[in-house]
Amino acid sequence: MRVYALIVAAGRGERAGGEVPKQYRQVAGKTVLRRSIDNFLYHPAVEAVCVVVHKDDGELYDAATNGLRILAPVTGGDSRQASVHNGLKALREIGAPPPDIVLIHDAARCFVSPEVISRVIEGVRTAGEGAIPALPLSDSIKRGTTHAEESVDRSDLWRAQTPQGFPFEAILKAHEAGAGRSLSDDAAVAEAAGLAVRIVEGDEANIKLTRPADFLLAGQRLATSDVRTGFGFDVHRFEDGDGVILCGVTIPFEKKLKGHSDADVAMHALTDALLGATAGGDIGDHFPPSDPQWKDAPSEIFLKFAAERLRAMNGKIINVDLTIICEQPRIGPYRIQMQARLAEILGLGTDRINVKATTTERLGFAGREEGIAAQAVATVRLEAAS
Ligand code: MG
């Protein structure tokens, strides 16, 4: 069964404040719309994604969806209901066969989980009717204006979320029949047309970003949860020389490390760890050894680049840990100096930087004193964009 997602992003979102409509605001470095799209695009059961946009938001939309493989956007109407109707009509006319199931989703619910999406699809697939994620009410419900005049039985009341899933042809017909009316969501359009809508389990985290406080909370939530780890490993062989450079510190020795740059194997491992934590590839992607400008370059250029890249993503280093593997030279006497040098380059306290060394008990290339290996691990946190 072909399942398409139709994401409604044509509103103005005025209650949320901000300079752009709320679906184009960033939460932890990513727009709300992009977060919503990604949730469907990376869901294994969803074949295609289409977004309904406001006629004035073309540039914002292009920036938010740059590089994504999704269907061409559809221009919305005067109301959410009209926008959905336009989107459904467009899915009918895209040339490819229309979907069997359509999931209609509000862009502002950018924390929708794969489990909720799966439950909705399953609900439509098994029953051949509509399915919506919903949650029971936990607060007591009162009716009244200035005083609580009546207590309402909440046992059969639900808070409806999106995505709301439907057999495609049935919901398109329901929207045609309901055009011009003012119905609160697609389930209401379906109910008005006599299409059954079953309730599947929603998710408390699937909130709709509506007010400024929602954005603040969403950013805080992601800031505390978006902690990442990266790993780096590097080896350089010895050649004739008079000293090695490790973590930017020169250690007098009867050999040097061979390399295109200054061959600071420890700093290379650390640079790769930082790049790894932010899905930034590796040192060779950014500073190809074939490029003559990096000949004999001090490796702090690479480390500073990785740290700057992290900062540009609104990220911070939590801690780094390095292990240098060799028999010779002795690292111990230089450890404090190395930590201080890394602290300076990274702008980080030395309480978050550890440098240690080990041998391999004379086993392997390091044991035979043919070169030095280094391993590094970096933990970083991406903060919410302000
Ligand atoms: Mg290297």
Side-chain angles (χ1 to χ4, degrees), residues 10-312:
R12 301 286 77 196
E14 275 143 10
R15 276 178 295 171
E19 284 165 11
V20 294
K22 64 179 177 179
Q23 58 273 34
Y24 298 106
R25 276 177 70 175
Q26 295 210 344
V27 175
K30 206 162 145 184
T31 62
V32 169
L33 176 60
R34 178 65 181 254
R35 286 183 180 280
S36 278
I37 292 172
D38 285 351
N39 289 331
F40 289 91
L41 200 56
Y42 300 123
H43 191 289
V46 177
E47 206 166 295
V49 176
C50 177
V51 182
V52 187
V53 299
H54 190 276
K55 62 177 169 49
D56 298 337
D57 292 347
E59 274 178 37
L60 290 167
Y61 172 83
D62 289 343
T65 57
N66 187 23
L68 291 182
R69 289 172 58 104
I70 56 177
L71 300 173
V74 178
T75 304
D78 295 337
S79 63
R80 185 188 178 284
Q81 196 179 327
S83 292
V84 172
H85 192 188
N86 285 0
L88 293 172
K89 283 188 290 188
L91 290 184
R92 190 69 181 287
E93 293 154 11
I94 52 173
D100 302 298
I101 293 173
V102 62
L103 306 175
I104 304 169
H105 186 68
D106 287 326
R109 289 190 194 268
C110 63
F111 297 118
V112 61
S113 68
E115 291 80 9
V116 168
I117 295 172
S118 295
R119 285 198 287 270
V120 172
I121 294 172
E122 219 28 56
V124 181
R125 191 179 275 157
T126 52
E129 52 195 26
I132 62 169
L135 290 167
L137 285 81
S138 51
D139 298 321
S140 294
I141 304 299
K142 305 293 174 191
R143 181 169 283 129
T145 45
T146 57
H147 293 73
E149 289 158 18
E150 188 195 345
S151 292
V152 180
D153 176 15
R154 64 176 185 228
S155 60
D156 60 352
L157 295 180
W158 298 88
R159 294 177 284 146
Q161 302 183 328
T162 71
Q164 302 192 340
F166 305 93
F168 177 75
E169 295 297 339
I171 192 66
L172 177 56
K173 268 202 201 92
H175 266 277
E176 271 156 15
R181 294 178 63 185
S182 182
L183 298 162
S184 67
D185 63 0
D186 302 292
V189 173
E191 293 152 22
L195 178 64
V197 177
R198 69 166 46 206
I199 290 168
V200 301
E201 189 189 345
D203 178 8
E204 288 293 354
N206 184 18
I207 60 163
K208 187 172 181 177
L209 297 179
T210 307
R211 289 167 296 270
D214 298 333
F215 280 83
L216 202 65
L217 278 171
Q220 283 167 351
R221 194 180 119 194
L222 287 170
T224 51
S225 65
D226 205 3
V227 172
R228 304 174 178 199
T229 302
F231 182 72
F233 177 69
D234 198 19
V235 174
H236 282 255
R237 68 164 67 234
F238 284 127
E239 61 181 10
D240 289 336
D242 57 5
V244 298
I245 299 171
L246 294 170
C247 297
V249 175
T250 303
I251 303 176
F253 187 51
E254 62 198 50
K255 297 171 191 168
K256 73 192 258 284
L257 289 171
K258 183 174 156 70
H260 188 65
S261 64
D262 66 2
D264 190 329
V265 62
M267 222 182 265
H268 293 181
L270 184 52
T271 302
D272 268 354
L274 283 178
L275 290 172
T278 53
D282 68 20
I283 201 168
D285 293 340
H286 303 283
F287 303 94
S290 56
D291 189 338
Q293 68 169 307
W294 312 122
K295 175 128 182 57
D296 300 318
S299 295
E300 65 174 74
I301 293 174
F302 314 144
L303 185 59
K304 277 184 179 155
F305 169 85
E308 189 46 50
R309 189 178 174 281
L310 174 65
R311 258 193 294 279

